[in-house]
Amino acid sequence: MPKKLKIALILLLFILLIMSGCGPRTTKPETNEGAAQEEKDKGKKDATSGASMANYTPLEELKDSYDIVIVGAGGAGMSAALEAKAAGMNPVILEKMPVAGGNTSKASSGMNASETKFQKEQGISDRNDLFYEETLKGGHNTNNKDMLRFFVDHSADAIDWLDSIGITLNNITITGGMSEKRTHRPKDGSAVGQYLVTGLLKNVQEQGIPIFVNANVKEITKQDGKANGVKVAFTQHGEKTIAAKSVVITAGGFGANMDIIAQVRPDLEGYVTTNHEGSTGDGISMIEKMGGTTVDMEEIQVHPTVQQENSYLIGEVVRGEGAILINSKGERFINEMAARDSVTAAINKLPEKKAFLVFDSGVRSRATAVEEYVKMGFVKTKDTIEALAGDIGVPADQLHKTLDTWNSAVKNKKDAEFGRKTGMDHDLSAAPYYAIRIGPGIHYTMGGVRINTNTEVLDQNGKPIPGLFAAGEVTGGLHGENRIGGNSVAEIIIFGRQAGIKSSEYVKTAK
């Protein structure tokens, strides 16, 4: 056969293969991966890849009743479900968003815990009493002391529990307001939230716990004063009533509900928010209708380091690993590791109410969350201090002086300017150099429904509402007037587990 004829036949065969569908696809298949990419393209970066790729329970498998209905599929909800399942219960999780995770997905720095096995392995001497005292001080002595005592005393056990189900947090750093390294994060130092959600979701699915998304719970039902189920609206399938022997609300706070924020804190109008769009306070409203009460609703934490254009949190771990804050003159102006409210107040006193986080390649290597900030275009990078100063518009000579003074402070272990004592293990001398422009943003709602250490929701007389439990950011009282960074992740695991345990005990005794 002539050579030209062979080539023509090969080309013809290739064309026929494409036409028959065996060749490369020109359209993207409609899969969960495609949906996740579409969400990403819309700028919704708050779901983890593990959550967005998950195969959630199909609606046709929904039953009319369960032992326990859990409202909200964040860290607290999934922890509650796993403990309920371990107690022999038949729980279900209902999540109003298209994916699991909630605000847990956005957690960055880590999970605080004291007297842990990982601290001991690394020679970190810590005490539960010290954790208690520093958290109480950070909350301006307004924390619910019973809740706080339970919290610190069960923090190490929570780290062990996570490790037992394949979620290992053995890379330890420090956050503002703490004197010891007790902020636990994944081995590679990456953001804790995505790792946590992916690991919990994997365990939930392995345990066969049904988890329904696009399931917007509207009401807690009751009979004879006892919670006995929920009314839930599904995106395309109308409203259903699901019976339960107990109900656990883990629906998060209200940091994305500007109407509520305007009512309780009108001074925060105009602030950006780092919160997941599902954080609208639904759980609080439902519990109030059941007779539950709230506490500390006006206590809303403003995080000092938020990238303003994208409302994206720059985690405290960057400062914990050695970064400093500078003003438009290239000067430090605060102890960067002070409590969040103090750092926020210092930034708000600046004429422009914004500042720069400045750090080096060493910080970048130790705080791997920086890689995400780089990908998102938040980070200015230059090989020299002078070039970085020019890029961010601050005086080069002053920035150089500031870094020299800081590096001397690190060497001598004494910050004569602002008294910083933590996050000083490494100086800032390893090029290239980096800067992120930041300002304050609404981050966390310390207020919420009132519960006891059994996670039972309390009425106006301080008595438990039978069959109704709550955990996580939907609750209030633990943090007082100011939350320490790393404590919210600990809260959702510690009290999420407790809600699963205690709601199961209630079901067993109510039989």
Side-chain angles (χ1 to χ4, degrees), residues 66-370:
Y66 295 86
D67 290 332
I68 302 171
V69 167
I70 298 164
V71 181
M78 289 192 281
S79 296
L82 289 169
E83 286 289 19
K85 186 73 173 182
M89 295 293 105
N90 176 29
V92 64
I93 305 174
L94 303 176
E95 168 58 48
K96 74 174 181 179
M97 302 304 290
V99 296
N103 260 356
T104 306
S105 298
K106 297 169 75 78
S108 179
S109 296
M111 173 178 167
N112 287 346
S114 51
E115 298 186 18
T116 71
K117 64 180 181 182
F118 296 129
Q119 285 179 313
K120 292 169 185 174
E121 287 173 2
Q122 296 171 36
I124 300 169
S125 179
D126 197 6
R127 295 179 295 111
N128 289 348
D129 286 348
L130 181 61
F131 187 14
Y132 177 93
E133 292 161 8
E134 291 181 343
T135 301
L136 191 61
K137 180 181 178 182
H140 307 155
N141 209 43
T142 60
N143 315 61
N144 179 312
K145 294 180 176 61
D146 289 338
M147 295 284 291
L148 180 56
R149 189 75 249 176
F150 184 93
F151 170 79
V152 299
D153 289 345
H154 290 79
S155 61
D157 184 53
I159 292 289
D160 288 344
W161 178 74
L162 287 172
D163 189 39
S164 74
I165 61 173
I167 303 172
T168 302
L169 302 176
N170 60 355
N171 184 319
I172 309 175
T173 187
I174 194 166
T175 55
M178 300 281 100
S179 65
E180 295 291 347
K181 289 185 176 181
R182 61 173 66 104
T183 308
H184 295 64
R185 52 189 180 158
K187 184 177 182 179
D188 63 358
S190 59
V192 69
Q194 297 184 8
Y195 178 70
L196 195 60
V197 168
T198 300
L200 288 172
L201 188 56
K202 179 175 181 287
N203 277 274
V204 164
Q205 293 177 328
E206 286 177 349
Q207 291 297 319
I209 299 170
I211 176 169
F212 296 93
V213 295
N214 297 311
N216 191 3
V217 175
K218 299 289 189 179
E219 181 184 340
I220 304 165
T221 61
K222 63 183 177 179
Q223 184 176 16
D224 300 326
K226 301 177 182 179
N228 71 340
V230 297
K231 290 182 180 179
V232 55
F234 291 91
T235 303
Q236 296 177 336
H237 301 278
E239 189 171 283
K240 296 179 182 293
T241 298
I242 301 173
K245 296 167 186 173
S246 68
V247 176
V248 178
I249 304 296
T250 56
F254 58 94
N257 190 326
M258 293 306 161
D259 291 334
I260 298 179
I261 289 171
Q263 290 172 20
V264 297
R265 284 289 301 276
D267 60 304
L268 296 181
E269 186 176 356
Y271 275 65
V272 300
T273 180
T274 66
N275 280 256
H276 178 266
E277 64 181 320
S279 299
T280 53
D282 303 352
I284 296 172
S285 299
M286 287 187 286
I287 288 173
E288 284 185 304
K289 291 175 182 176
M290 279 284 292
T293 57
T294 59
V295 59
D296 295 340
M297 288 293 283
E298 73 284 0
E299 304 299 347
I300 297 173
Q301 184 169 73
V302 176
H303 196 289
T305 57
V306 177
Q307 198 275 348
Q308 298 290 292
E309 289 72 23
N310 294 69
S311 304
Y312 203 91
L313 178 73
I314 306 302
E316 207 154 343
V317 64
V318 181
R319 284 173 284 150
E321 290 297 337
I324 61 173
L325 284 166
I326 64 163
N327 58 24
S328 60
K329 296 178 182 178
E331 303 166 334
R332 287 179 69 218
F333 56 92
I334 183 68
N335 168 8
E336 295 86 354
M337 296 303 290
R340 288 176 175 178
D341 56 347
S342 298
V343 180
T344 293
I347 294 172
N348 279 333
K349 288 179 182 178
L350 300 175
E352 60 275 22
K353 300 185 187 298
K354 293 182 178 64
F356 287 100
L357 268 171
V358 173
F359 52 100
D360 69 349
S361 61
V363 172
R364 180 176 179 175
S365 68
R366 295 187 298 275
T368 57
V370 171

